[in-house]
């Protein structure tokens, strides 16, 4: 079968051919576990679960990784609000996420066979930061490590944004220690009340993007066949993943094909916790059979 997939990076459909004919590698950005998942959160894992089954049927061997982000400022805030360690929050909502995925049918051939967690990959994250500093693509400043976007000429090729648009959309502070306002954090310091790990730059924790690059490298290699996720991750998350991974691997392409699913919308607006228009899966499961929810998610083009 000639499998053709739409590549967000090139903006066209392409014939899919894995780097190795006997094995496919796919990485899908997983949940940040600080709250119950809503039905929109389930869309990428349902859609790319179907793709996973197709790849397994056609190529036999698929290494499919879907991470769990279990260290994040939203997790820290939820833990502080309840007065508990972050492990309580991440444990509770990881179980809730996996329970919902099982109910919707994202199991077996539709499920990842690798589920790495950020907190289990801190040494790899530190090593990647060190390599980026040594190669001139990152720098340390005030106990932070930042990626130098000026050092990578391909920055912006996925999202195709201008520098001004990227700075405005980066969701990061324009701190005085940055060489360029668009530079993004790979490692940041932790105060005593926050989770942290000892690193060459002091006690701290990883930034948002570096964890996925480090986990993909460890479990799938320097260049992967498919990287997927929601359309909201194109920038800054996936753009920054490309920059740091390509530079950490001496210029090797990070992912050959990028796929992004559209949103589940409510009255024409993206469903999100920040907008307050979420429909939680655990509540929907009391109103409709899980098979109906799965049908709903698969009833539209990805």
């Amino acid at each position: 079968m000639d499998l053709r997939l739409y590549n967000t990076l090139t903006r066209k459909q392409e014939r899919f051919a894995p780097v190795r004919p006997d094995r496919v590698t796919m990485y899908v950005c997983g949940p940040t576990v600080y709250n119950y998942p809503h039905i929109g959160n389930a869309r990428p894992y349902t859609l790319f679960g179907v793709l996973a089954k197709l790849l397994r049927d056609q190529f036999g061997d698929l290494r499919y990784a879907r991470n769990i982000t279990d260290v994040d400022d939203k997790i820290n805030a939820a833990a502080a609000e309840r007065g508990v360690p972050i492990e309580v929050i991440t444990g509770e909502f990881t179980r809730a996420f996996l329970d919902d995925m099982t109910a919707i049918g994202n199991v077996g051939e539709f499920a990842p066979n690798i589920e790495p967690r950020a907190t289990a990959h801190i040494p790899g994250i530190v090593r990647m930061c060190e390599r980026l500093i040594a190669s001139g693509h990152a720098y340390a400043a005030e106990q932070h490590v930042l990626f130098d976007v000026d050092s990578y000429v391909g920055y912006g090729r996925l999202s195709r944004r201008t520098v001004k648009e990227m700075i405005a959309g980066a969701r990061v502070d324009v701190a005085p220690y940055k060489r360029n306002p668009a530079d993004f954090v790979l490692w940041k310091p932790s105060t005593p009340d926050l989770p942290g790990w000892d690193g060459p730059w002091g006690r701290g924790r990883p930034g948002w993007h570096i964890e996925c690059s480090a986990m993909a490298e460890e479990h799938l290699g320097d260049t992967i066949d498919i990287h997927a996720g929601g359309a909201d991750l194109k920038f800054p998350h996936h753009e920054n993943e490309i920059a740091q991974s390509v530079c950490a691997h001496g210029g090797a392409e990070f992912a050959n094909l990028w796929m992004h699913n559209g949103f589940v919308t409510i009255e024409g607006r993206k469903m999100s916790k920040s907008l307050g228009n979420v429909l939680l899966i655990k509540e929907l499961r009391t109103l409709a059979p899980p098979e109906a929810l799965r049908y709903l998610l698969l009833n539209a083009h990805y």
Side-chain angles (χ1 to χ4, degrees):
M1 180 176 70
D2 187 22
L3 177 60
R4 301 186 68 84
L5 300 169
Y6 183 80
N7 188 348
T8 310
L9 186 64
T10 60
R11 304 295 198 271
K12 62 183 180 181
Q13 282 193 8
E14 298 176 359
R15 178 180 176 273
F16 176 68
V19 174
R20 285 177 47 175
D22 60 334
R23 190 188 76 179
V24 179
T25 53
M26 180 168 75
Y27 188 96
V28 177
C29 285
T32 300
V33 283
Y34 70 98
N35 208 331
Y36 291 106
H38 58 69
I39 192 66
N41 297 142
R43 189 153 201 250
Y45 314 123
T46 305
L47 294 168
F48 298 124
V50 171
L51 176 61
K53 184 181 187 307
L54 174 64
L55 294 170
R56 285 176 171 130
D57 289 345
Q58 183 163 346
F59 296 96
D61 184 12
L62 170 69
R63 293 182 60 81
Y64 168 20
R66 182 186 67 200
N67 71 293
I68 298 285
T69 295
D70 59 352
V71 55
D72 178 85
D73 288 344
K74 292 177 181 177
I75 295 171
N76 296 340
E81 184 177 344
R82 286 173 50 177
V84 297
I86 65 166
E87 292 81 4
V88 174
I89 299 296
T90 59
E92 176 183 343
F93 293 115
T94 296
R95 290 190 294 272
F97 169 76
L98 294 175
D99 181 58
D100 283 342
M101 292 304 101
T102 299
I104 291 176
N106 295 330
V107 294
E109 292 181 293
F110 300 99
N113 52 308
I114 307 167
E115 291 186 281
R117 303 190 183 206
T119 55
H121 293 77
I122 300 299
I125 291 170
V126 169
R127 288 193 298 271
M128 182 169 282
C129 289
E130 290 176 321
R131 295 205 314 270
L132 288 167
I133 291 174
S135 61
H137 293 290
Y139 57 96
E142 297 187 22
Q143 295 183 290
H144 292 74
V145 177
L146 299 111
F147 185 87
D148 183 356
V149 298
D150 288 332
S151 74
Y152 176 53
V153 295
Y155 194 66
R157 64 193 177 103
L158 177 69
S159 59
R160 300 190 184 182
R161 295 188 179 205
T162 65
V163 173
K164 184 177 180 180
E165 288 172 331
M166 287 190 285
I167 293 172
R171 291 191 284 171
V172 293
D173 295 329
V174 181
Y177 48 78
K178 289 186 175 184
R179 296 175 182 173
N180 182 319
D183 292 350
F184 57 89
V185 173
L186 306 176
W187 183 267
K188 54 189 173 183
S190 290
T191 54
D193 59 313
L194 293 173
W197 292 262
D198 291 332
W201 317 282
R203 182 177 178 274
R205 61 197 191 279
W208 176 25
H209 318 293
I210 191 73
E211 62 180 79
C212 285
S213 286
M215 288 187 282
E217 175 189 77
E218 178 170 334
H219 296 283
L220 303 178
D222 290 0
T223 300
I224 59 180
D225 293 309
I226 299 172
H227 195 309
D232 55 330
L233 297 180
K234 291 178 193 175
F235 185 86
H237 186 51
H238 288 166
E239 194 75 71
N240 292 352
E241 276 189 72
I242 291 173
Q244 63 203 9
S245 293
V246 169
C247 292
H249 300 146
E253 189 63 84
F254 176 39
N256 287 328
L257 191 142
W258 287 84
M259 298 182 69
H260 293 90
N261 65 276
F263 305 126
V264 173
T265 58
I266 298 292
E267 296 178 342
R269 295 198 303 169
K270 168 194 169 186
M271 185 183 298
S272 72
K273 296 182 180 73
S274 61
L275 292 175
N277 63 347
V278 301
L279 299 174
L280 298 181
I281 300 172
K282 72 183 186 78
E283 295 172 349
L284 291 173
R285 284 168 57 187
T286 68
L287 303 174
E291 295 85 357
L293 301 179
R294 184 173 183 82
Y295 178 76
L296 169 69
L297 293 170
L298 294 173
N299 200 33
H301 191 281
Y302 78 86

